[in-house]
Amino acid sequence: MDSQTPQSSPSPHSPHTFQVDLRGLVDLLSHHLYSSPRVYLRELLQNAVDAVTARRAVEPGAPALVRLHAADGGLRVEDSGVGLTESDVHQLLATIGRSSKRADGLREARSGFLGQFGIGLLACFVVAERIRVVSRSARTPGAPPVEWTARDDGSYTVRTLPDGERPEPGTTVYLTARAGAAEWLSPERVRALARDFGSLLPYDVRVDEEPVTDLPAPWDRPYPGPAARRVALARHCHELFGFTPLDSIGLDVPVAGIRGVAYVLPSAVSPAQRATHRVHLKGMLLTERAEQLLPDWAFFVRCVIDTDSLRPTASRESLYEDETLAAVREALGERIRSWLTGLAAGDPERLAAFLAVHHLGVKSLARHDGDMLRTMLPWLPFETTDGQLSLEEFARRHPVVHFTRTVEEYRQVAPIASAQGVGVVNGGYTYDGELIEALPRVRPGTVVAELDADTVTAHLDAVDPAEELALSGFLAAARARLDPLGCDVVLRAFHPLSVPALHLDDRAARHEQARAEAEERADDLWAGILGSLRGSAPRARLVLNHLNPLIRRIGSLGDPELIGTATESLYGQALLMAQRPLRPADSALLNRAFIGLLEWATHGENGR
């Protein structure tokens, strides 16, 4: 930025004029505003289409033609649009930031234009060292053709031409490639870019007489029936995105000016992965990477739409976040929600195939949508002690829907709870705990309860008091060995018989365990503070199965040291069976118990 300073002292309020370094501006465009040089062709197509739109606003029957010719390291783009006079050229092409869309007489037709920011031809300097424009105005029939030639050093010339140089209204743009950029102006590249950007444009666009536009859009074409439409859209999806969809969802939202289709991904994706979509603005491809088009829960689809209502950013490569986009996002989400509801009502096989892959997305939606949860209850799968079931089926089988909050808790209690007839749902997977807790809201009368160690223990059979009294010495030795680990020992009788011991804890017990470990490591001050927090918090439990033959044999041992070693072994085995992460103290215990058993076994062998 620079300014011209006059020789005499200016008044404090004298205006100055910005001076623009075109080389610096081109560098800004190519390296910061635009993601790729490929956008130069979109700008050329955009200017041509807008020029045709402007002419048709005053001449509805005017031709609507755009022709591109690439050869010898250059590109020529012709349109039958409104054209320019010499005054227009000085005012519009040579003034950065001014758009012809703001010219007199065109305001009322503004909604039909693609461009908004007046950068226009300047973007072509990303690939060209020289731009030559020859134009004749349709609004001023008597005006001669005019030529504007600009170079990337910021210089330009303007001259009028004889009538024969351009007999018909319209504009022709000539690009001469800059060093190293000729590949962007090659016929093959121009043809590919024109098809990509302009396949849905409403006018006759051709590259060397080869049609670019392919209308009507695949989602607007007539088909013999739903099956034929599904096949055609699946083919379109494969060509566009590279996958064959599970299904396609029409996205016709006339109020929002949206037409398009959403394709359901055939494989599961992470909810954290941002979905990207193709967005056309009035037929012109705006972006292939629109992320904010759909609600976050709809990560299982990829969309391609054409819109006339959304607002692009300055680079015209993404969408401007405003109230209109928010309304469109909500409307498109409602279309996907309606599709799911329709499947549930009329096509359970397709719904089952969809949920087998994308149940996570539906669960994400159902967390905050009571109607969706109510609709999907018979279909959404959950891991339960009765197998993979829906919450609806599980609630019919069990008067109380018990659930665990973590996968580890479920694994440690599922076999035992199932043997005791207690139904449990694994709420440790993403969204499952929230949905289980929401069950009473959509299924009145359902009782939901979190399963804790006390509940499990209460469902296990108590041992005859006389038998437990006879084992009091064994139990005392076992409790003494596990007390430093914050674990109690209790004796119960339960099935299956093959399980010798069960390790039970809950979040409160784990919290107390973590507090005790922190207290051991803390200095005197923090140890006192942490010690003051010690209360009657529940402790973990090692539940010994009195029905198991191994437990009966261990209970008959008389050596307290051997009882302690055996108890540590049972504790370690119960932790491993529950697939719980081992603390350093647990690993040391396992190692100690293993060595102790080896010593006992070899001692017994040597003594024989």
Side-chain angles (χ1 to χ4, degrees):
M1 180 169 27
D2 194 9
S3 61
Q4 300 295 326
T5 305
Q7 296 296 320
S8 59
S9 299
S11 70
H13 302 292
S14 295
H16 300 275
T17 301
F18 287 102
Q19 304 297 309
V20 176
D21 181 348
L22 188 57
R23 287 186 184 274
L25 190 56
V26 168
D27 179 74
L28 176 67
L29 293 177
S30 59
H31 292 101
H32 300 284
L33 183 61
Y34 296 123
S35 62
S36 165
R38 69 196 299 268
V39 299
Y40 87 90
L41 193 71
R42 185 194 62 201
E43 296 293 339
L44 288 173
L45 283 176
Q46 175 178 290
N47 287 340
V49 169
D50 283 345
V52 172
T53 300
R55 184 175 180 185
R56 285 203 153 188
V58 294
E59 296 181 53
L65 307 175
V66 180
R67 297 290 183 266
L68 296 89
H69 306 278
D72 302 324
L75 175 65
R76 184 174 84 253
V77 181
E78 301 179 55
D79 68 66
S80 59
V82 68
L84 301 170
T85 64
E86 182 177 0
S87 174
D88 293 334
V89 166
H90 284 290
Q91 184 180 13
L92 302 175
L93 297 187
T95 305
I96 295 170
R98 177 169 295 172
S99 170
S100 62
K101 276 62 108 179
R102 289 190 289 270
D104 292 341
L106 300 185
R107 296 178 187 271
E108 66 277 6
R110 178 67 185 272
S111 62
F113 293 115
L114 301 173
Q116 300 184 47
F117 296 94
I119 296 173
L121 286 175
L122 198 61
C124 294
F125 281 121
V126 173
V127 298
E129 66 176 10
R130 188 179 69 157
I131 303 172
R132 177 172 172 253
V133 177
V134 175
S135 186
R136 182 162 195 158
S137 175
R139 288 183 295 156
T140 310
V146 60
E147 176 191 72
W148 177 82
T149 304
R151 298 184 176 275
D152 60 1
D153 61 3
S155 63
Y156 73 91
T157 59
V158 178
R159 66 188 180 109
T160 57
L161 301 175
D163 286 348
E165 291 285 337
R166 177 85 199 192
E168 298 295 329
T171 300
T172 304
V173 179
Y174 302 85
L175 299 188
T176 302
R178 65 166 57 245
E183 191 270 337
W184 289 103
L185 303 183
S186 67
E188 297 78 13
R189 178 58 68 92
V190 168
R191 191 174 297 110
L193 291 178
R195 286 174 178 166
D196 201 29
F197 284 119
S199 63
L200 300 184
L201 289 174
Y203 303 136
D204 182 3
V205 182
R206 297 173 183 261
V207 177
D208 296 325
E209 298 308 317
E210 183 177 328
V212 167
T213 51
D214 186 19
L215 296 176
W219 50 85
D220 285 332
R221 295 171 190 169
Y223 296 100
R229 174 183 172 85
R230 193 174 297 121
V231 170
L233 290 179
R235 187 183 308 114
H236 174 249
C237 176
H238 194 274
E239 293 171 354
L240 207 59
F241 295 115
F243 65 85
T244 301
L246 282 178
D247 205 350
S248 56
I249 308 168
L251 299 179
D252 184 10
V253 188
V255 174
I258 299 286
R259 296 282 297 170
V261 62
Y263 293 116
V264 181
L265 292 167
S267 56
V269 294
S270 167
Q273 179 180 330
R274 298 289 294 181
T276 56
H277 312 285
R278 286 177 63 97
V279 176
H280 295 254
L281 180 61
K282 302 180 182 73
M284 181 75 74
L285 178 65
L286 183 71
T287 178
E288 300 173 280
R289 299 184 300 276
E291 293 185 347
Q292 67 272 51
L293 185 65
L294 294 181
D296 290 341
W297 57 260
F299 55 82
F300 50 84
V301 298
R302 296 291 181 271
C303 297
V304 52
I305 67 165
D306 187 25
T307 175
D308 58 15
S309 63
L310 297 179
R311 177 183 171 191
T313 59
S315 66
R316 290 190 287 280
E317 293 187 282
S318 59
L319 298 172
Y320 190 82
E321 186 67 52
D322 57 11
E323 292 181 358
T324 302
L325 179 56
V328 165
R329 185 161 47 233
E330 183 177 349
L332 295 181
E334 182 58 39
R335 287 292 302 115
I336 297 173
R337 185 185 290 108
S338 298
W339 169 78
L340 284 170
T341 304
L343 287 188
D347 201 339
E349 290 185 2
R350 283 170 66 201
L351 177 63
F354 166 75
L355 290 178
V357 179
H358 295 299
H359 58 273
L360 203 58
V362 179
K363 287 181 177 180
S364 173
L365 169 61
R367 289 180 304 155
H368 308 296
D369 190 324
D371 291 338
M372 181 56 62
L373 178 58
R374 192 176 293 106
T375 301
M376 292 291 119
L377 267 181
W379 308 101
L380 287 174
F382 288 78
E383 183 180 4
T384 79
T385 49
D386 293 353
Q388 287 284 333
L389 290 179
S390 70
L391 288 181
E392 176 71 27
E393 176 64 21
F394 188 85
R396 283 201 297 265
R397 296 185 183 186
H398 299 276
V400 178
V401 178
H402 287 105
F403 74 101
T404 63
R405 291 195 180 276
T406 68
V407 175
E408 291 79 9
E409 290 173 354
Y410 178 81
R411 287 171 178 164
Q412 68 180 341
V413 303
I416 309 304
S418 179
Q420 307 306 310
V422 179
V424 184
V425 183
N426 186 352
Y429 294 117
T430 305
Y431 309 133
D432 283 10
E434 295 176 75
L435 293 177
I436 296 167
E437 290 184 296
L439 190 57
R441 296 204 304 267
V442 297
R443 196 178 189 274
T446 303
V447 179
V448 173
E450 183 178 353
L451 188 69
D452 55 21
D454 287 336
T455 305
V456 176
T457 305
H459 279 81
L460 304 181
D461 294 333
V463 177
D464 182 85
E467 294 186 33
E468 186 167 1
L469 182 60
L471 295 172
S472 59
F474 159 70
L475 292 174
R479 287 166 182 155
R481 184 57 66 95
L482 294 187
D483 184 68
L485 295 173
C487 183
D488 291 331
V489 177
V490 297
L491 188 66
R492 292 289 187 273
F494 57 87
H495 293 271
L497 301 181
S498 58
V499 177
L502 175 66
H503 181 270
L504 293 177
D505 66 359
D506 51 27
R507 285 177 296 161
R510 289 193 293 274
H511 177 74
E512 170 61 18
Q513 192 176 65
R515 186 209 59 77
E517 292 174 357
E519 182 181 353
E520 290 179 4
R521 297 191 302 267
D523 57 27
D524 292 341
L525 173 61
W526 280 108
I529 294 174
L530 292 169
S532 68
L533 299 176
R534 185 190 305 115
S536 58
R539 287 154 56 95
R541 299 172 194 174
L542 182 67
V543 184
L544 303 179
N545 188 358
H546 187 55
L547 301 179
N548 181 268
L550 177 61
I551 296 299
R552 288 181 175 271
R553 289 197 297 271
I554 294 174
S556 65
L557 295 173
D559 182 353
E561 188 63 29
L562 185 54
I563 290 174
T565 300
T567 302
E568 289 180 336
S569 300
L570 289 169
Y571 174 84
Q573 189 262 355
L575 284 180
L576 294 174
M577 289 296 294
Q579 301 183 43
R580 295 295 303 274
L582 299 180
R583 299 170 297 161
D586 298 329
S587 299
L589 175 143
L590 281 172
N591 183 63
R592 184 171 64 248
F594 179 71
I595 298 299
L597 290 176
L598 283 180
E599 289 178 348
W600 176 78
T602 54
H603 176 74
E605 181 67 25
N606 292 334
R608 284 197 288 270

